[in-house]
Amino acid sequence: MKRILIQNAILVNEGRKVAASVVIEGEKIAEILVDGQLPADSCEEVIDAAGCYLLPGVIDEHVHFRDPGLTHKADITTESHAAAAGGITSIMDMPNTNPQTTTLEALDEKFDLLAAKSSVNYSCYFGATNSNYTLLPQLDKHRVCGVKIYMGASTGNMLVDRTASLRNIFGGTDLLIAAHCEDQGTIRKNTDRYKKEYGENVPLEFHPAIRSAEACYRSSELAVQLARETNARLHIMHISTAKELNLFTQAPLTEKRITAEACIPHLMFAEEDYAVLGGRIKCNPAVKTADDRKALRDAVNDGRIDAIATDHAPHLLNEKEGGALKAASGIPILQFSLVSMLELADKGVFTIEKIVEKMCHAPAEMYKIANRGYIRRGYQADLVLVRPDSNWKVSAECIRSKCKWSPFEGHTFNWKVEKTFVNGHLLYNNGSIDENYRGQELRFEK
C-alpha cells in the first residue's frame, strides 16, 4: 500500500494543537509522529505542510444534494465536489427530494445514486411521514444515519402534524431522530397577519417575523417533551433562537439523549444582513437577530450546541426572488463552511479546537460513525490541510455548487483549504478535483 507522509503540520485533534506529522498507508492513518519522531518505514510521497493546520475531515450531517428529481439546481456530483473543496469528507443527505426518501425502495435508490456519484463519504436519512412509521423497524441501523422528521413545513413539504403519528415515530425507533422544528399553526397565523397588510408580496424582511422565534420554540419544546416521554434519541437541527437554548443542557455529549445543532447561516448572519443579501440568506428556520446569533455562538462554546453543520440547500438565483412568501428557502454554503468558522476563530468567537470538536468529532460521536471524525491510528484517513493568512476572494468562477452563487460572493477569506484526503486519497488539491474517485458509504456502530 502507498505510504504518504504529511510533515511539519500543526495537528488539531481532540482538544489540542501540536506540531506533528502523519503517515497515511492505503486508506488509513498509520502513524502520528510528534517530538521529531520519524516514520517506521519509507514513504513514497512526502507533503511538506509547513504553515498549515491538519484537521480531521469535516462531517456534515445536514445537506440537501437535491438528487434525485431536483437536479436542475444541484446534484450529488457537483455538491460532493463542493464538499471536498470545503474540507468536508463525509455528508448525510436529506430526504426531501423527488421522489422523497420515505419508502424502502426510494432509500435503496438513494444509496445507489450516492454510491455512483458521490466523491465524498456518504449516508442519508429516511424521511418520516404521517403514515410510514411502520417501516422504521425495517431500517438497517448500520447504514441509515437517522430518521428525519419535519415538525414544520419546509422545502418539499414533508410535514408531520398528527399527534398520533409523532408519538408513533418517536416511540417506534432507536435510530437518531433529526427534527426540523417550527410550529405550523404559529407560522400560519403570522402569515395571515402580514398578508392582510401586504397581500401576497410580503417584504423579505418579515421572513423572521413569520417563521418566528415563538414558532421555533413551541415546536422544539414539543419535540423535547416527546423525546423525554419515549426516551427517543433526538437531535434538533438548525437551532436559530436564544429561547430554544433553554431546552438543552451542558452535559458531556456522551451523556445526552437530546442534542442540538447550529448551522452556518445562523452563526454568520443576522437580520440586518437581509438589507444587503436579501433572498440569498433566506432559509428555514429564518436567520434572526444579532442577539440570537450571539446566543448561538455562546452555546457552541458552553456545550448546549453539540454540532455545527451547514443545511446546504441550493436553489437557482431566480428561485430566490419574490419576498417572504415566494422566494425559495435554502442557501448553498457547503464549500465555505469550514473557512467561515475559521474566520470566526480569527475573531476570537471560537477556538480552532472547538471548531474541530463541533464539525468533526461531535458528528462522529452522535451518529456513532465507525472509524472517522478523529486523527487516530487505524482510522480512515479523512483529513484536510488548511492554511491561514492566505487571502482569497469568493467569485462565481470558484463556486463548485451547480447553482453557481453564494451569499459569500465578493467576501475575502483569510483561510484556504489546500488539500482534502478522503480514505487516504487526495481528492482535492489546490483547486483540482479527482473526478474519478468515489467515497465510501458510512457505517454506524449502533
Side-chain angles (χ1 to χ4, degrees), residues 367-389:
Y367 289 82
K368 296 182 171 60
I369 303 171
N371 298 320
R372 301 186 193 273
Y374 294 88
I375 300 177
R376 292 174 176 169
R377 287 186 63 186
Y379 271 51
Q380 292 297 107
D382 297 339
L383 302 165
V384 56
L385 270 176
V386 292
R387 186 178 295 276
D389 305 317

Side-chain angles (χ1 to χ4, degrees), residues 144-401:
V144 179
C145 57
V147 175
K148 179 64 183 289
I149 182 168
Y150 287 87
M151 296 173 63
S154 190
T155 302
N157 196 9
M158 292 175 59
L159 176 66
V160 179
D161 57 357
R162 299 176 193 164
T163 301
S165 296
L166 289 169
R167 291 190 180 281
N168 283 324
I169 293 164
F170 275 78
T173 182
D174 53 7
L175 279 166
L176 179 146
I177 297 171
H180 177 129
C181 291
E182 293 182 283
D183 180 68
Q184 204 59 32
T186 303
I187 293 170
R188 194 177 301 116
K189 178 181 175 182
N190 292 337
T191 301
D192 291 343
R193 172 190 167 192
Y194 285 98
K195 284 174 74 172
K196 284 180 182 177
E197 186 171 354
Y198 295 99
E200 295 296 326
N201 297 310
V202 178
L204 185 67
E205 65 198 73
F206 295 110
H207 180 57
I210 292 171
R211 303 185 83 101
S212 63
E214 185 60 27
C216 294
Y217 182 81
R218 290 185 67 176
S219 184
S220 293
E221 183 182 38
L222 174 60
V224 168
Q225 177 187 332
L226 289 167
R228 287 175 176 163
E229 289 176 0
T230 59
N231 197 34
R233 174 67 184 90
L234 172 66
H235 182 50
I236 301 186
M237 310 199 106
H238 43 43
I239 296 295
S240 63
T241 73
K243 188 174 182 181
E244 288 171 283
L245 296 169
N246 296 323
L247 298 168
F248 306 103
T249 69
Q250 295 171 283
L253 181 57
T254 53
E255 298 176 10
K256 292 185 181 185
R257 296 285 292 171
I258 298 171
T259 52
E261 168 199 280
C263 286
I264 303 298
H266 303 107
L267 294 170
M268 291 298 293
F269 303 119
E271 62 185 3
E272 56 263 29
D273 295 313
Y274 288 112
V276 175
L277 294 170
R280 288 177 180 240
I281 59 165
K282 183 175 185 279
C283 56
N284 299 336
V287 168
K288 297 183 175 67
T289 70
D291 287 342
D292 287 313
R293 179 179 62 187
K294 183 181 184 305
L296 293 173
R297 291 173 174 183
D298 290 344
V300 167
N301 285 320
D302 69 27
R304 287 171 293 163
I305 294 290
D306 300 285
I308 296 172
T310 61
D311 193 10
H312 174 76
H315 296 284
L316 299 184
L317 263 182
N318 61 16
E319 297 172 321
K320 299 290 286 178
E321 299 171 357
L325 301 184
K326 298 176 184 177
S329 291
I331 307 172
I333 209 159
L334 193 71
Q335 187 176 343
F336 311 107
S337 58
L338 177 57
V339 291
S340 296
M341 293 300 95
L342 292 170
E343 178 176 288
L344 293 186
D346 284 344
K347 294 178 179 178
V349 176
F350 307 127
T351 65
I352 191 169
E353 295 93 333
K354 182 64 67 176
I355 292 166
V356 168
E357 175 192 339
K358 301 298 183 179
M359 299 183 79
C360 311
H361 303 335
E365 293 293 337
M366 288 166 42
Y367 289 82
K368 296 182 171 60
I369 303 171
N371 298 320
R372 301 186 193 273
Y374 294 88
I375 300 177
R376 292 174 176 169
R377 287 186 63 186
Y379 271 51
Q380 292 297 107
D382 297 339
L383 302 165
V384 56
L385 270 176
V386 292
R387 186 178 295 276
D389 305 317
S390 300
N391 289 353
W392 63 283
K393 183 180 287 189
V394 179
S395 65
E397 290 72 31
C398 76
I399 295 170
R400 292 186 175 270
S401 288

Side-chain angles (χ1 to χ4, degrees), residues 53-158:
Y53 287 71
L54 182 63
L55 318 179
V58 172
I59 301 171
D60 194 338
E61 66 192 59
H62 191 167
V63 304
H64 300 262
F65 278 7
R66 306 301 194 201
D67 204 345
L70 303 168
T71 54
H72 65 286
K73 62 182 82 182
D75 63 53
I76 292 167
T77 299
T78 58
E79 306 318 292
S80 65
H81 290 175
I88 295 164
T89 55
S90 298
I91 59 91
M92 303 180 203
D93 195 41
M94 289 295 166
N96 54 338
T97 48
N98 185 19
Q100 296 169 344
T101 316
T102 55
T103 67
L104 299 181
E105 294 77 16
L107 181 66
D108 287 340
E109 290 170 5
K110 173 69 78 68
F111 273 117
D112 289 344
L113 268 178
L114 286 162
K117 298 175 72 173
S118 182
S119 294
V120 297
N121 306 315
Y122 57 87
S123 184
C124 61
Y125 293 85
F126 185 78
T129 70
N130 276 314
S131 58
N132 73 350
Y133 51 84
T134 58
L135 298 176
L136 301 184
Q138 301 179 52
L139 300 176
D140 185 340
K141 300 171 187 177
H142 300 292
R143 295 190 78 197
V144 179
C145 57
V147 175
K148 179 64 183 289
I149 182 168
Y150 287 87
M151 296 173 63
S154 190
T155 302
N157 196 9
M158 292 175 59

